Amino acid sequence: MKVRRKSNWYIYVITLIISFALLGFFVSSIWDSLFPTEKDADSAYSVNNADFRPSADIKMNFIVMLAEMKAGVPDYYMLASYTPRSESVVFVPLPENTRVSYKGNVGSLYEMYSNLGAEAVTGAVTETLGFECSDYIKFDRLSFIDFVDLTGEVYVNIPADIKESRIETFLESEIIEVDGEEQEVTKTVKKKVEDIIFPAGAQYFDGETLYSYITYDFGKGVDYTLAVQGAAAMNMLNRNFRDLSSTELQSYAEKIINSTETGFMFSDYVEYQPVLQYTTENSINPCEYYIPYGETEGGYFILNPNSVQTIRDRCGIVAEEEK
């Protein structure tokens, strides 16, 4: 008599399913380790707000310069001071004719760069303000436009239409009476015409438009131009540098390192990346700007000592940091 055994097919099916599941998990783990997603890459560098606090001794003071041409002498200078512990950034636009001194040489910022180079500008600012300005970034027109376009359009608020006037010649016809008869004659007339260069109101400027705006001759004095530049820099950081991923931060750093004249290296970015990430994740409108005051003498702008002290206070300089 033959005994018919029960089939255990379901056991084989369950075993096969478990095997495929384990294989899928293994392959997925290997794939993620070799090809992490942007989110996974960011999490490796993200700052845990509960555990991370920037050290009080971390500070960055550097000069941002802007020239028309890559090999040209900058026409615009701005001190940038970043204090991660207080989550603050201060921009101080400086006239190009600001009188400074460096290793016995006295002259303007423009003259320092022209005669001695970018490092002399940082050294001169250090000696003049009394605290260390350690580095510099020099944009030219093209690198500035590229960087702004990479980081996003910049908000500006223009209080009134910026206009340019010009004289144009027009032909006009009129009827005159000659010997009792009416005749039509044409004459030339010169008239003043105004073109609106930058309309009033809230605007979002791309790189090329922003460059034209901050370098425009408004005819309202140096302080007005400095305020325009300071406000643009402030709005750019406050609005465009929020909740950035580590991928975005690195792309910005690489753009600066690779396309500008600068003393910053990628190793500097790696060192500061955690605090930069911390500021973008936690700060709301961390940036402000300050317009220094002084007097003009012999073609130079001489900073008032009280204004120098205000700069130091705004930048959070304490006694042991003085140079």
Side-chain angles (χ1 to χ4, degrees):
M1 180 178 178
K2 291 184 179 180
V3 178
R4 189 173 183 177
R5 295 182 179 180
K6 292 183 178 180
S7 175
N8 294 326
W9 62 269
Y10 59 90
I11 295 177
Y12 297 111
V13 171
I14 292 173
T15 302
L16 186 62
I17 292 173
I18 293 175
S19 298
F20 275 117
L22 291 174
L23 179 62
F25 177 77
F26 176 75
V27 171
S28 176
S29 299
I30 295 297
W31 182 270
D32 289 342
S33 65
L34 293 176
F35 307 102
T37 63
E38 182 175 322
K39 183 176 180 180
D40 294 332
D42 290 341
S43 66
Y45 294 96
S46 64
V47 177
N48 187 323
N49 297 342
D51 299 332
F52 182 83
R53 180 76 168 149
S55 171
D57 61 351
I58 300 177
K59 184 183 291 290
M60 296 173 64
N61 300 312
F62 57 96
I63 291 293
V64 180
M65 299 174 281
L66 179 60
E68 170 68 21
M69 305 297 293
K70 192 175 186 67
V73 179
D75 295 304
Y76 306 98
Y77 300 79
M78 185 180 295
L79 169 68
S81 179
Y82 170 46
T83 308
R85 188 63 177 267
S86 61
E87 302 171 26
S88 65
V89 180
V90 179
F91 287 120
V92 183
L94 296 167
E96 54 88 18
N97 65 332
T98 301
R99 190 174 72 182
V100 291
S101 60
Y102 176 63
K103 294 183 177 180
N105 299 286
V106 178
S108 67
L109 291 171
Y110 186 96
E111 291 167 340
M112 284 294 171
Y113 185 96
S114 179
N115 297 328
L116 300 172
E119 291 186 2
V121 173
T122 61
V125 171
T126 296
E127 288 190 19
T128 302
L129 298 182
F131 61 88
E132 184 177 8
C133 179
S134 58
D135 228 313
Y136 61 90
I137 300 172
K138 176 200 167 187
F139 290 95
D140 59 78
R141 178 180 176 275
L142 293 180
S143 62
F144 177 86
I145 290 172
D146 287 346
F147 184 73
V148 172
D149 288 342
L150 174 66
T151 59
E153 293 183 330
V154 177
Y155 168 85
V156 298
N157 191 5
I158 302 176
D161 290 341
I162 306 299
K163 302 177 181 179
E164 281 188 358
S165 298
R166 53 190 172 82
I167 302 297
E168 280 200 2
T169 302
F170 297 89
L171 295 177
E172 290 188 352
S173 298
E174 66 175 337
I175 303 298
I176 63 173
E177 188 174 315
V178 179
D179 298 331
E181 294 183 1
E182 291 185 345
Q183 295 184 6
E184 182 179 1
V185 296
T186 302
K187 63 179 181 180
T188 58
V189 178
K190 291 185 178 181
K191 291 184 178 181
K192 180 181 178 181
V193 178
E194 289 188 334
D195 296 319
I196 297 177
I197 308 302
F198 302 105
Q203 313 282 337
Y204 286 89
F205 287 164
D206 61 12
E208 187 168 3
T209 308
L210 185 66
Y211 179 87
S212 298
Y213 179 62
I214 65 174
T215 61
Y216 184 76
D217 182 6
F218 297 95
K220 297 183 178 182
V222 175
D223 285 354
Y224 187 90
T225 300
L226 296 181
V228 165
Q229 295 168 352
M234 178 186 72
N235 289 332
M236 181 178 181
L237 260 70
N238 284 344
R239 291 173 175 264
N240 296 3
F241 284 68
R242 289 183 179 179
D243 295 321
L244 297 178
S245 68
S246 63
T247 304
E248 290 172 312
L249 274 177
Q250 181 170 323
S251 69
Y252 296 171
E254 289 175 341
K255 173 64 74 173
I256 289 174
I257 293 168
N258 295 330
S259 66
T260 71
E261 178 186 340
T262 181
F264 285 111
M265 297 183 292
F266 190 74
S267 58
D268 297 317
Y269 164 74
V270 173
E271 178 183 355
Y272 285 108
Q273 189 272 336
V275 296
L276 292 168
Q277 196 79 53
Y278 178 86
T279 300
T280 63
E281 290 179 0
N282 293 279
S283 301
I284 299 176
N285 297 336
C287 184
E288 63 177 359
Y289 70 93
Y290 170 72
I291 306 301
Y293 61 91
E295 58 184 20
T296 301
E297 181 181 306
Y300 292 115
F301 173 74
I302 304 173
L303 285 165
N304 185 287
N306 292 330
S307 187
V308 171
Q309 185 58 51
T310 301
I311 293 173
R312 289 147 62 110
D313 293 342
R314 293 286 187 94
C315 295
I317 302 303
V318 294
E320 57 265 27
E321 296 179 77
E322 296 179 357
K323 296 294 179 182

